[in-house]
Amino acid sequence: MKRVTALAVLAAMAWCLPGSPAGAQERLTREALAGADYVRGRLAFQQRCSACHTLAEDALHLAGPNLWEVIGRTAGTREEFSYSETLREAEFAWTPDRVDDWLANPDSYLPGNTMLIPEPVPDRDRLPMISFMMLETGGADWPRPEIDIAALETPRGESPAERFPSFWNHLMHNTTRYRWVDDQQEFVFDAYYNKDGSVTSSMEGVDGFWHIDERDFFCYALQGLPIRPNYFVQCFPVAAMAIPRFSEQLWQSPMYGGAVLYGGILPGRPTDDAETAAPE
């Protein structure tokens, strides 16, 4: 009963929220959301959002905030997360329609925000993704469909290349570019993830290793960097990295001491006999 009341209040709020035309009708109705494709929404969230956001109650923040009970919450108010000034001053509550507009183009919807996505979420994926998010974050008053979640998991083959071919080919044949920014310095370097689990780099003295754990998280460590301490470790869901994209800046991660690490993927990599020089 509590959730039904909350959804009714949200429907009323949509008429008077800043940026909503007077008398505007909600686009993502309860009927549409309840009938959306759960499996498609789950996959879309895993591939596009799970590297930065968690859904479960009391789950940790990642590069982005935990999304538990995001529907109905005022933007930029989740405790213990450092939002951009733009979101802190937004003064609106998230509704399904607002999330839909946000995912379609975050930059135009709220200029100055710091959420980085490689591309807007396609129209065909937004409705099922929002429905899935509402089900998994306490924002839906309809039941979760009876689906064998275990059957949706990626079958375990003999190697990561067999289980995650798109991810494997993208990472193993291209260049990962990093940019580290803190209050003392800024530097750029390239990393090359190798099939034997090692990581080599364009920066002298920098190397590392990677592995995929039992949760299907891709975890890696890089060491020998000109920072203190001289290493960092990160983990991402493999599913979030399975869509090939190229850009010098695809994600950003807050690091210790207020530093920010930016990352991207560039096509190709130096050949084995080519000189590997640090990027300008």
Side-chain angles (χ1 to χ4, degrees):
M1 185 66 183
K2 178 180 177 182
R3 289 181 183 173
V4 174
T5 302
L7 287 171
V9 171
L10 284 173
M13 288 170 59
W15 290 70
C16 57
L17 284 169
S20 297
Q25 297 291 326
E26 62 178 351
R27 299 188 309 275
L28 302 189
T29 63
R30 180 192 180 282
E31 181 180 9
L33 289 161
D37 186 336
Y38 178 89
V39 173
R40 186 183 193 109
R42 182 176 185 270
L43 180 61
F45 183 87
Q46 286 178 328
Q47 292 179 335
R48 297 178 178 277
C49 307
S50 62
C52 297
H53 295 283
T54 56
L55 299 174
E57 186 176 10
D58 298 326
L60 297 175
H61 299 308
L62 300 177
N66 169 265
L67 299 178
W68 178 255
E69 293 186 337
V70 64
I71 298 298
R73 187 169 66 237
T74 301
T77 59
R78 191 73 161 84
E79 293 182 0
E80 299 179 354
F81 186 80
S82 179
Y83 290 92
S84 65
E85 183 177 357
T86 300
L87 269 173
R88 291 197 307 271
E89 297 179 353
E91 297 184 350
F92 64 76
W94 289 111
T95 65
D97 282 353
R98 281 194 171 275
V99 175
D100 184 49
D101 290 337
W102 168 262
L103 294 175
N105 195 327
D107 289 336
S108 64
Y109 184 72
L110 203 60
N113 80 85
T114 56
M115 187 177 85
L116 293 177
I117 59 174
E119 59 187 5
V121 179
D123 294 348
R124 65 181 181 276
D125 287 338
R126 291 201 303 275
L127 171 62
M129 182 192 292
I130 293 167
S131 173
F132 167 78
M133 289 169 56
M134 292 177 69
L135 279 165
E136 300 301 326
T137 61
D141 67 341
W142 58 89
R144 181 184 288 104
E146 295 183 5
I147 294 173
D148 182 3
I149 298 299
L152 302 179
E153 302 298 334
T154 304
R156 291 189 174 272
E158 295 181 356
S159 69
E162 292 176 325
R163 293 165 56 206
F164 311 110
S166 179
F167 156 79
W168 179 266
N169 290 328
H170 194 49
L171 193 67
M172 296 300 156
H173 297 286
N174 296 302
T175 297
T176 303
R177 174 155 295 180
Y178 294 101
R179 180 165 63 95
W180 178 280
V181 180
D182 60 33
D183 58 2
Q184 300 293 323
Q185 62 180 335
E186 176 178 341
F187 60 88
V188 176
F189 66 98
D190 292 338
Y192 313 106
Y193 291 85
N194 304 309
K195 297 176 182 179
D196 62 359
S198 67
V199 186
T200 52
S201 173
S202 63
M203 181 173 284
E204 184 177 358
V206 175
D207 59 18
F209 62 89
W210 65 268
H211 79 286
I212 296 176
D213 68 15
E214 67 280 357
R215 304 168 300 162
D216 288 339
F217 271 60
F218 173 79
C219 298
Y220 70 95
L222 292 176
Q223 61 184 357
L225 293 157
I227 56 177
R228 290 290 181 270
N230 71 346
Y231 66 90
F232 66 82
V233 179
Q234 290 195 308
C235 292
F236 299 99
V238 172
M241 306 168 68
I243 301 177
R245 305 182 182 100
F246 292 111
S247 176
E248 284 206 15
Q249 188 169 316
L250 290 173
W251 70 88
Q252 70 180 59
S253 303
M255 307 299 282
Y256 38 79
V260 179
L261 179 70
Y262 300 90
I265 306 290
L266 303 181
R269 61 170 61 182
T271 58
D272 292 340
D273 57 352
E275 181 179 357
T276 304
E280 296 294 333

